[in-house]
Amino acid sequence: MDPEMDSQLRIGFLGAGNMAYGITKGILSGNVLPVNIKVSAPSSRNLGRFQELGISVTHSNAEVVCGSDVVFVAVKPHLVPPVLNEVSPHVTDRHVVVSVAAGVTLATLEELLPENSVAIRLMPNLPCVVQEGALLFARGSHAKQEDGALLRSLLHRCGLVEEGPEAWIDIHTGLSGSGVAFVYLFAEALAEGAVKMGMPSALAHSVASQTLVGAGRLLRDSGKHPAQLRSEVCTPGGTTIYGLHTLEQGGVRAATISAVESATERARELGRRSSRK
């Protein structure tokens, strides 16, 4: 996509939560100017941080839709039906509607929007705030390949952006959306282990966070399988293999697999609920 096209796009957000903020931060690091973004929310509680970025805010969802080409629906899943019912009269064939609501299916979006509307379902994650997100999107029945290319171009500064079938979206929610919290839990536990052994808490948390950053970058940039990198850290009879043995005894691998499974099933359950409304 032509970067100049991105700079001319008008972007709207319905909802001012963490996902909207993360995507906005990523978009602003590209070619989109703050003057071309508008955010709406029913209260002013979360709008101040957008204003600090030079972005216009409003309490009117209709105002955002009427002044936008790409509209991100970034409200809680149970609010998607009333919000889309409210703004549907203002959605035209020029709009690309992108939902980041967990569990809300493309079928539900297309049912709530005018006929032939372009809908895309996107699942980002919180690290979009620092341009290190993992985002997966699926196109609706009326969204063309160029609509997907436009979204990919718009979001490329947010982190890794991939397209796939809708069936993968709920899995991505469990893996990467919820997975961020799983990683934070592990980071907290790492630091607490060091505190137990006598390291000051502030230093332990700083080292734990850097350990995760470094390990993640090495995993991403080396292209190696995690098991290969893990084996490279282990030396026969060394400290790491003893620690890994303890983790395996605690069932960390099975618990993590089950956590992703549980989060995925919950996302699917939310989808079934949204399709019944």
Side-chain angles (χ1 to χ4, degrees), residues 113-172:
L113 291 167
E115 191 175 1
N116 298 324
S117 292
V118 174
I120 297 177
R121 185 178 171 192
L122 171 71
M123 180 47 60
N125 66 352
L126 191 56
C128 288
V129 174
V130 291
Q131 290 83 62
E132 291 290 357
L135 306 90
L136 182 69
F137 70 90
R139 287 180 285 130
S141 56
H142 305 293
K144 299 181 176 63
Q145 192 167 351
E146 51 263 38
D147 297 315
L150 173 65
L151 184 64
R152 190 189 293 271
S153 174
L154 189 62
L155 298 176
H156 77 281
R157 291 294 187 94
C158 292
L160 176 70
V161 184
E162 298 286 356
E163 180 178 2
E166 186 177 16
W168 291 359
I169 296 287
D170 291 332
I171 303 171
H172 181 73

Side-chain angles (χ1 to χ4, degrees), residues 46-62:
N46 291 325
L47 293 178
R49 56 182 175 174
F50 290 92
Q51 290 175 299
E52 290 172 1
L53 298 174
I55 291 169
S56 296
V57 300
T58 177
H59 297 306
S60 170
N61 292 330

Side-chain angles (χ1 to χ4, degrees), residues 13-30:
F13 286 88
L14 307 180
N18 288 333
M19 279 298 125
Y21 186 67
I23 294 171
T24 299
K25 290 273 284 186
I27 288 174
L28 286 176
S29 68

Side-chain angles (χ1 to χ4, degrees), residues 261-277:
E261 180 182 16
S262 296
T264 300
E265 290 298 344
R266 176 58 177 167
R268 288 172 175 168
E269 180 185 348
L270 290 172
R272 289 190 291 269
R273 287 186 181 185
S274 75
S275 65
R276 290 197 295 266
K277 291 182 179 177

Side-chain angles (χ1 to χ4, degrees), residues 148-259:
L150 173 65
L151 184 64
R152 190 189 293 271
S153 174
L154 189 62
L155 298 176
H156 77 281
R157 291 294 187 94
C158 292
L160 176 70
V161 184
E162 298 286 356
E163 180 178 2
E166 186 177 16
W168 291 359
I169 296 287
D170 291 332
I171 303 171
H172 181 73
T173 302
L175 168 64
S176 188
S178 301
V180 170
F182 306 158
V183 171
Y184 292 153
L185 178 66
F186 185 69
E188 183 183 12
L190 275 179
E192 287 175 346
V195 170
K196 180 181 180 182
M197 301 312 296
M199 182 179 283
S201 179
L203 178 60
H205 282 90
S206 179
V207 172
S209 65
Q210 184 58 38
T211 300
L212 263 62
V213 169
R217 287 192 62 178
L218 185 58
L219 177 59
R220 181 189 65 186
D221 297 344
S222 70
K224 295 180 179 179
H225 191 279
Q228 183 179 351
L229 288 171
R230 176 172 53 79
S231 69
E232 290 175 4
V233 181
C234 292
T235 55
T239 62
T240 305
I241 192 63
Y242 270 72
L244 287 170
H245 184 208
T246 300
L247 286 173
E248 294 287 10
Q249 285 179 319
V252 66
R253 185 189 302 262
T256 303
I257 292 171
S258 295

Side-chain angles (χ1 to χ4, degrees), residues 24-45:
T24 299
K25 290 273 284 186
I27 288 174
L28 286 176
S29 68
N31 298 303
V32 178
L33 300 174
V35 70
N36 288 335
I37 302 177
K38 182 166 283 191
V39 179
S40 65
S43 76
S44 299
R45 183 166 53 93

